């Protein structure tokens, strides 16, 4: 029987017993009924088995459970249910990792591009990447196109839509893409150097797929999507399509999964591993010292998971954002390394000399450290 | 300018200031940049405005924020981002309700059937409904068909697939439906009374839609879906289709959103209101005293939200499950009322006299109280 392991951190509350908690987990995520009424041959065939257990503190354990591969069939949706279905409603269970090698064959392909092919594609060899967001919501397509031009003239590598921009009347999807694609071209003509525009395509599943195709048709260079709004499988579907555009994944709506330390999925597992397996070329996460709450240790762990050769997929570019300051970029390149795409918004918009000057300053820093 | 209100419970941590927290929320979920660089006309047009504030305890506040309707465009995906996008990564923000009247026109239709039409359809007037799950995973279609027959002979109203059953080789989707539909027919011939079979259709978005159609074609009576795996909009899409099958929503993968008291969405908001708006005819939630952690107060609030006439949609049947005991059904009917569909699994499987006798006992209790 083929199997794969999932790793969990378990926290005991009150008078919980660790062995009983593990047994319940193995049951809840498979037969979902009292073991007394499960026939032996089914019990042996489908119920998870403890493969590893280590006590971390008085009430915290790290464990691995071995699951039959056939329980997930050939579907990512079934895998998600097995990974964190009913146990999402139980306290003290956090998924921290899994055996990707076994799942690669049947479910996951990873990024279509990843760090190496993105570097080839954009001719950026030995330095960090810069990126920014077009905003605010409420701006016209013309205004967003103008911002795009200003950033591109300053040399920002990747200019993406803010994830709040979809198809509102302020700046409808196609009109906005046309304006920004044109702005990118004009700036390239002016400067001799090309920036790359990634529109936001989140929508109902099939509409998101159509926007992915439409973005390519209109000359965009990549896309940004919120997988926890479309359903995460949609990103995987896109990564496997013929459409030749890299994908940035945005964590909107995902925070409840990662920000409670005793439950959910660890941030390095979700943003680093699962999103990478599902085909994200870039993974946006909220950086420490910004507007959100991850620690530097958690951010470093996300970077490591997104890039490590230990996973059987192309690596993803970590894309820290959410309050990154222009003044701190040297520190962050030193801390996170060059295989990072730094996402900077507010701090460029607030620059006293304007967006183009701010972008040039950012690029000078990045290239100097280069 | 048309607007709608969202209600939040805010919890302050450390030295947080309530007014600053509210201002950040209003900004994070709209312009997502420092207000100093947002032009006035955009600020007035798209940034949320505080509409209500009440202090509950030293560090807890209930507030309402008024949002421009145009921010959500005409798309549920955009609405979800506005509802709980970036703030999902911030601690101490819990969504507890919203103004459905304004959103009904442009986004939501609610259940296609709901309590009244389900009662008409099944000719069940003045009593609670019973339901159960076919399991365990690993059983053959033949075995599941036999279980379905045994439950149907005992008179259970709704017999659904366990949500762990999808299209694994143990009991492939179509084969399983055929076996169970046949079993339902045979039991109806034997007893003169019909039960209703709801197969599980969770899959990648478009595949789930295809399974919804296929279930109808094969003679199923309804379906069960995990909206937080397919993407919640898929359920809404189905509820608006011509397919004439009621929908049960299952909370798999949703627990991280509802089980942490200071963040996420309140369970009555998610399972009672949002799922209802999105078209769930039945909403499964984990009952108090079972294997999960909601309090009786939270369960009563879910029931109330699912049924209340205060929402501009047909009402949804609350479907408490997750460890409901046959011995307690009288108490739960008294506590929750008759407009409830009780979901009972393990306790019927464990009955010493077998599944059919257990089902008959459950139905006797329900009809007696009737």
């Amino acid at each position: 029987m083929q199997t794969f392991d999932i790793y969990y951190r378990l926290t005991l509350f009150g008078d919980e017993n660790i062995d009983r908690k593990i047994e319940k987990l193995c049951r809840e995520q498979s037969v979902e009924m009292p073991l007394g009424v499960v026939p032996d041959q089914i019990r042996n065939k489908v119920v998870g088995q403890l493969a590893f257990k280590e006590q971390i503190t008085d009430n915290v354990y790290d464990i691995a459970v071995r699951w039959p591969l056939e329980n997930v069939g050939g579907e990512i949706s079934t895998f998600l249910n097995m990974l964190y279905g009913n146990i999402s409603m139980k306290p003290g269970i956090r998924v921290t990792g899994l055996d990707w090698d076994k799942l690669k064959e049947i479910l996951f392909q990873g990024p279509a591009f990843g760090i190496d092919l993105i570097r080839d594609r954009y001719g950026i060899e030995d330095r960090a990447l810069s990126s920014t967001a077009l905003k605010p919501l409420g701006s016209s397509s013309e205004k967003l196109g103008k911002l795009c031009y200003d950033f591109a003239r300053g040399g920002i590598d990747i200019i993406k839509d803010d994830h709040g921009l979809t198809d509102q009347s302020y700046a409808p999807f196609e009109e906005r893409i046309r304006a920004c694609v044109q702005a990118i071209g004009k700036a390239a003509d002016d400067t001799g150097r090309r920036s790359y525009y990634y529109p936001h395509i989140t929508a109902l599943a099939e509409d998101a797929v159509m926007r992915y195709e439409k973005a390519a048709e209109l000359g965009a260079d990549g896309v940004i999507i919120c997988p926890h709004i479309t359903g995460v499988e949609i990103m995987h579907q896109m990564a496997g399509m013929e459409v030749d555009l890299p994908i940035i994944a945005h964590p909107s709506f995902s925070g409840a999964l990662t920000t409670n330390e005793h439950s959910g999925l660890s941030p390095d597992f979700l943003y680093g591993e699962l999103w990478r397996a599902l085909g994200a070329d870039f993974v946006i996460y909220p950086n420490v010292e910004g507007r959100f709450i991850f620690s530097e240790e958690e951010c470093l762990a996300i970077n490591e998971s997104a890039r490590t050769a230990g996973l059987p997929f192309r690596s993803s570019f970590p894309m820290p954002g959410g309050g990154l300051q222009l003044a701190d970029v040297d520190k962050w390149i030193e801390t996170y390394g060059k295989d990072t795409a730094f996402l900077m918004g507010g701090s460029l918009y607030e620059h006293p000399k304007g967006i183009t000057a701010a972008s040039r300053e950012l690029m000078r820093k990045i290239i100097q450290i280069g």
Side-chain angles (χ1 to χ4, degrees), chain A:
Chain A
M1 187 171 75
Q2 285 209 295
T3 60
F4 71 105
D5 291 354
I6 300 180
Y7 307 95
Y8 310 84
R9 171 155 290 192
L10 303 187
T11 306
L12 304 178
F13 296 106
D15 60 354
E16 276 191 309
N17 167 280
I18 182 63
D19 296 318
R20 181 99 181 95
K21 189 169 182 119
I22 293 168
E23 184 259 315
K24 285 182 183 175
L25 187 167
C26 293
R27 196 151 49 88
E28 192 67 49
Q29 294 295 96
S30 57
V31 293
E32 211 195 315
M33 65 197 300
L35 287 182
V37 288
V38 177
D40 278 352
Q41 76 274 23
I42 286 188
R43 184 171 173 164
N44 297 333
K45 191 169 63 175
V46 310
V47 178
Q49 304 289 336
L50 182 68
F52 170 85
K53 182 173 84 170
E54 184 186 3
Q55 184 160 11
I56 305 300
T57 66
D58 268 4
N59 65 332
V60 176
Y61 290 77
D62 282 344
I63 68 159
V65 174
R66 188 150 296 162
W67 296 99
L69 204 56
E70 183 46 36
N71 284 18
V72 304
E75 297 184 294
I76 291 171
S77 49
T78 305
F79 161 80
L80 293 171
N81 180 50
M82 253 219 61
L83 180 74
Y84 199 59
N86 272 11
I87 56 170
S88 74
M89 295 176 280
K90 283 176 167 291
I93 302 177
R94 189 161 174 85
V95 178
T96 58
L98 65 77
D99 243 3
W100 292 103
D101 291 309
K102 300 287 185 56
L103 291 169
K104 179 179 196 274
E105 297 308 315
I106 56 165
L107 288 180
F108 298 100
Q109 283 86 49
F113 302 90
I115 294 182
D116 291 345
L117 296 184
I118 297 277
R119 286 197 178 283
D120 286 356
R121 195 175 176 98
Y122 296 162
I124 302 173
E125 278 179 20
D126 194 32
R127 63 164 175 85
L129 271 62
S130 64
S131 62
T132 192
L134 300 174
K135 50 186 164 187
L137 175 67
S139 308
S140 66
S141 300
E142 187 188 347
K143 168 73 181 162
L144 294 167
K146 175 67 170 62
L147 284 172
C148 188
Y149 175 75
D150 290 345
F151 281 121
R153 268 212 317 156
I156 297 285
D157 297 313
I158 294 176
I159 301 166
K160 70 168 191 66
D161 285 344
D162 190 42
H163 73 287
L165 309 177
T166 54
D167 192 35
Q168 297 98 333
S169 63
Y170 312 130
F173 180 72
E174 290 195 25
E175 179 189 281
R176 181 174 80 244
I177 297 193
R178 288 181 208 279
C180 293
V181 166
Q182 190 178 31
I184 291 279
K186 181 160 178 285
D189 290 344
D190 293 354
T191 65
R193 187 190 170 281
R194 178 94 153 75
S195 295
Y196 304 97
Y197 170 57
Y198 283 53
H200 180 229
I201 60 166
T202 297
L204 170 65
E206 64 197 36
D207 297 337
V209 171
M210 277 165 47
R211 285 184 192 173
Y212 186 45
E213 290 167 331
K214 180 57 81 175
E217 186 189 317
L218 295 175
D221 300 295
V223 294
I224 167 170
I225 188 170
C226 301
H228 292 269
I229 290 179
T230 58
V232 298
E233 277 191 276
I234 290 296
M235 180 163 74
H236 176 258
Q237 185 183 348
M238 288 177 186
M241 287 169 63
E242 291 293 301
V243 177
D244 191 35
L245 297 188
I247 297 169
I248 300 175
H250 188 287
S252 175
F253 212 84
S254 75
L257 279 167
T258 52
T259 55
N260 293 288
E261 68 174 317
H262 300 307
S263 59
L265 316 177
S266 67
D268 55 302
F269 176 73
L270 178 60
Y271 306 126
E273 297 190 20
L274 184 56
W275 280 11
R276 177 177 169 188
L278 288 165
D281 297 291
F282 299 85
V283 302
I284 296 182
Y285 66 84
N287 197 33
V288 60
E289 293 186 17
R291 305 193 305 276
F292 302 94
I293 63 165
F294 290 149
S295 66
E296 185 169 317
E297 188 187 351
E298 287 174 308
C299 294
L300 286 166
I302 295 170
N303 296 348
E304 168 68 13
S305 296
R307 298 174 188 141
T308 177
L311 261 61
F313 309 114
R314 292 193 176 105
S315 54
S316 305
F317 256 116
M319 195 175 236
L324 216 62
Q325 297 300 307
L326 180 52
D328 297 334
V329 75
D330 304 43
K331 177 183 81 174
W332 289 121
I333 296 177
E334 199 171 305
T335 310
Y336 290 165
K338 293 173 187 172
D339 279 340
T340 311
F342 293 96
L343 173 57
M344 204 170 290
S347 146
L348 302 179
Y349 283 93
E350 281 181 309
H351 196 283
K353 293 186 181 160
I355 280 173
T356 303
S359 304
R360 285 191 182 126
E361 191 179 324
L362 172 60
M363 292 313 295
R364 266 198 307 276
K365 285 170 180 262
I366 286 180
I367 290 165
Q368 264 167 20
I369 297 175

